Structure formats: C-alpha cells, structure tokens
Amino acid sequence: MNHKILSKFADAEILINDNAFDKINLLDDPVAVSSALIADIISQGKKTRDLIIVSTEMLDTFLEKNNIEISSNEKKEYFSQDIDTQSMENEAIDKIENNLRLKQELIDNNSISEEISNKIDEIVSEIPSEIQAKTKPIKEVEFNFEIIQDTSKKSYTCGDIKDMISYFNNRYHRIKDILVKRRELKDYSNIADIFQSKDVVKIIGMVKDLRTTKNNHKILEIEDDTGEISVLIHNDNHKLFEKSEMIVRDEILGIIGSRKGNFVIASELIHPGVPRIEEKPMNFSTVFISDVHIGSCTFQEEAFNKFINWINGNFGTPEQVKIAEDVKYLIVAGDIVDGIGVYPHQEKELTIKDITKQYDEAARLFGEIREDIKIIIAPGNHDASRVAEPQPAVPEEYAKSLYQLKNVEFVSNPSIVSLDGIKTLIYHGRSFDDLAMTVKGLSHEESDLIMRELLEKRHIAPIYGERTPLASELEDHLVIDEIPDIFHTGHVHINSYKKYKGVHMINSGTFQSQTEFQKIYNIIPTCGEVPVLNRGNFKLLKFN
Ligand code: D5M
Ligand code: FE
Ligand code: ZN
C-alpha cells in the first residue's frame, strides 16, 4: 500500500513530507484520499514544474474541507485489481488512476483506446463519491485542432522547366477561378479573342512585366493561356493609376478596358479580392509570437521568461492573469531559433553555435509552458527547414528535443490550421521584403498594408524570383484559396494589427533586440510585445 501512495504522488510530480505521509496512512482509505488530494492540487492550477510539497498543514486543511476524519478502522483496499505492470496498457492505467490530467493528455494525443479510457473511469469512480463530490473537477481542455493545409510532405519538384510551367499554370487557374466569380468578369474573353472586338474588353491574366513610360503612364504586359497584350494605365485616371501602383509582377488580375490597336486602355483593375467574412465567436484566447531567435546574442531571454510566467498564470496584472487563464493555443510563426549560417559572419552574434543545441534550448524554454496549451510551430527563414517556400515543418532530425514536447504541433510555412473552428493562416513573412522593396507605399513598419495586399491578390508571395526563394512545385501552395479568420505573420520584427473585412491580420513582432544587420537597414524592432486574441478581442501585452 505504501509504495502505491508514494508512486501516486511521484507520478503527479508532487512531494509529500514524512509526517503528512504517515498521517495519510492512518486514514481509512489512504489511496482514495491521496487520489482526491492530488486531483485537488492539480485542479488548483499546479504546473508541471512547480515544486509542491504536501505538508501536514496542507493535508489537515484538505481533510477538514472534505470532512474526512482519522479513525482506527481497518484500512480498505480500493484498488482490488491486480495490475499487470508488464503490459504497456496497464502501466498507463496505473499512472492514469493517479493523475487525471495525464489521462486528458492521452486523450488529446489520440493515444488512448476506448477500452483503457473506460477502465480509467472505472478506477476513478472507485474514489468514494463523497470525496469526489467535494473535489473540484479537473480542468479538462478539449481541443478541436485540425491542420487544414500543410505542405511538409507535398514537395515533389525536381526543378524542371516542366515544373515551372505547371507551377504558373496552376497559380493562374486557381486565381482565375476566384476572379471569374466576380460579377464584372463573368463575360471575360481570352486574350486571343479580343482582337475581334472593338468596344469593351474584359480579360484575366498574369502580369508578365510592368513598366512606367517616360510620360509616367503605366504599361502592364498581360498574359493568359491564349496570348499576350499590353495594357496602358493612363496617369490622368488618378484613382486607377494609384491602384496600379500596387500591382506586382506575376500577380493575376482582371482588367476591363477598351482595345486600341495592340493595346488595351484600362478603365478598371480587378483583384480577386476579399469578401467580408462573418466574425466567429471565440470562447478562448490565442497567443501569437514569432522571431524568438533563440541562440542569438540579441535574444531577449528575460522578456521571454516574463512571457512564459505570464502564460502560466504567474505574472502580470489581474486582468492579464485572467487572459492567461483563457489561453488555449500558442502559435509561433517562424524564426524560433537564430540558425547557423543564415547570413555572413552570423557566428559572431550567436551564443549557441550549434543548431541542435539551439532547438534544445527552445525545447527547454517552450517546455516551461503549461501543458494544456497547444503550441503550433511553423518555420521561418532562420530555422533548419529548406529555405524555399513553401517551407516544410522544422525537421525532427535537428529538433528532437522540441518534438518530444507532447503539446507541440509542427506545421509548414505557410500553413492553415483550425483552432476550434477558427481558420488561421500562418505565414512567416519573407515575401514582405520583396513587396516593401518593390511597391511604393509598402514598408516593413506597416506590415498590415502588405497583408491586406496579399489577401487582395490571393497569394502569399506573388513576386517570383526575387529575394523570397519559391519552390516551383507542380502546384502553387501559396495561393490563398479561402479567406482565413486570422492571418498571422512575423519576420519584420515589428508588431502590427488590423482587422480587414473581418480578418484579424496580426504581425507578432519579435523577442530579438536590434541586430547589426537591422541597424544598417534602420529596422527598429518592437521587442517582447505579444499579441493575444482574447475571446475575439485584440490585446497587446508587453514584456519588454
Ligand atoms: O529578419 C529580420 C528583419 O530584417 C526583418 O525586418 C526583415 C529584415 N530583412 C531580412 N532579410 C532582409 C533582406 N534580404 N532585405 C531587407 N530586409 C531584410 P530575419 O528573417 O529575422 O533576419
Ligand atoms: Fe526573424
Ligand atoms: Zn525572418
């Protein structure tokens, strides 16, 4: 009996002092009381790494609260079954009878059969009902988490020219499918057919090239399956000209205009666009971070530790602690570690110069986070995944220790996940560099404007062949087929938030202070500022 009680506490990672242990053994049902006491401690929010020692004082309070008295009756054995410790399943039972929280984890991980689940319930039900009734129920978190789109295992390209053709064809047709649903473009024509018509022409094409004439008009070279045509945007048409400033090479759009010889004079430019989406209720909180850069000299560990303490309910104002209690999901949009050899002479700026050790340190830090939060990790350009986008999930071979954390899910960059029905598009944000460089009015500081453009263009990285290396897959995985409820990005190291047509567009900043590289580009990071969607309301919590 004694070893059973001790192992109960040990399994729950709770210590018990000698006097309290002796006292428990004087009770009628020491095993049942131990189970109830452990359940009570856990239900009060014990964290895995909290050191809890049951003292006689604590035991007395518990006994008093539950009207349990010490009597000299014969001790009863509540767990009469002989547990076969050889069997893996029964070993699980042995643990679970002592730790309801562990049971929940196993259920969450789908690693528990119905039969075992029933057995556990049976064992738990043997705790006397009067004690059960007085014990607070353990917070059982039910996750309705789903990976809707992940490209980790879908990368088949061998880099052939054939792949390039099918890549662009796929991109064109997927976005065209969205455009043809636009009322204005229902009666569009193929480019090859417009030379017969004189009046209004409507075409859907990819921007092969664009330039500004010496008189400051804009010319787009537009291509579809059937041909090519030059489209002129006259600068007298101020509104249209302004809109055309946002157009980039390789995007797909609809054009309405009139044909003049071999030109189309545009009167309207139509993006695939974003229909307003209806807001869905969220009865939980989701936390968004990115660009932690663990292993870098400029990683702000102190701020990150404050963040961990907050999420675990141990730091912040009462209002902030209340938000922390609601947290169910934590999304990490890339650059978890600083990586190795990402830029020249990076080693001078690293505290950890080994990629596996960087992920070990990440596992240590993320492992501090309470286990009833699901952590979803996508890679960034500093992570150990291939750099070409779509980037497969952080590879297990470099991040074994991170993969050992039970509450972590690894997804590709970009990816789409459903958090209890809230569709979330996660993208690190490398293409922001290209858009900020190419488009007047777009900058790293205002990534919300860039996110809006990407949604309007329905593509994560519209410009092909610039700084963002794109893998020419047979299929274009970067097309935004469906509008998400949340669009979460990172990379620029500057927080931003905007709600656009009902979509929460969030850039989660960084935990890295300014690097030498960022000094040159005058990038001033917002460090340790963490966006949270608290039951649908945006909050920015500061840990800097
Ligand atoms: O990116 C950190 C910051 O540096 C972010 O603001 C983008 C900027 N950055 C990174 N690479 C480039 C290039 N090639 N051009 C311009 N700006 C860049 P990180 O991915 O964390 O290094
Ligand atoms: Fe970064
Ligand atoms: Zn980055």
Side-chain angles (χ1 to χ4, degrees), residues 4 96 245 262 281 296 307 362 386 487 511:
K4 205 163 189 173
I96 290 153
E245 302 261 51
N262 286 336
S296 157
F307 161 70
R386 81 160 183 204
F487 185 15
F511 274 97

Side-chain angles (χ1 to χ4, degrees), residues 288-315:
F288 303 87
I289 61 170
S290 60
D291 301 274
V292 191
H293 289 268
I294 292 162
S296 157
C297 300
T298 41
F299 163 51
Q300 297 297 293
E301 187 166 355
E302 209 179 303
F304 198 71
N305 279 327
K306 272 192 210 165
F307 161 70
I308 291 175
N309 283 331
W310 164 75
I311 211 166
N312 285 340
N314 302 326
F315 177 82

Side-chain angles (χ1 to χ4, degrees), residues 290-293 333-338 380-382 428 490-493 509-512 518:
S290 60
D291 301 274
V292 191
H293 289 268
D335 287 0
I336 297 103
V337 298
D338 204 53
N381 52 311
H382 282 253
H428 179 60
H491 186 58
V492 295
H493 293 209
T510 182
F511 274 97
Q512 184 183 40
Q518 290 159 11

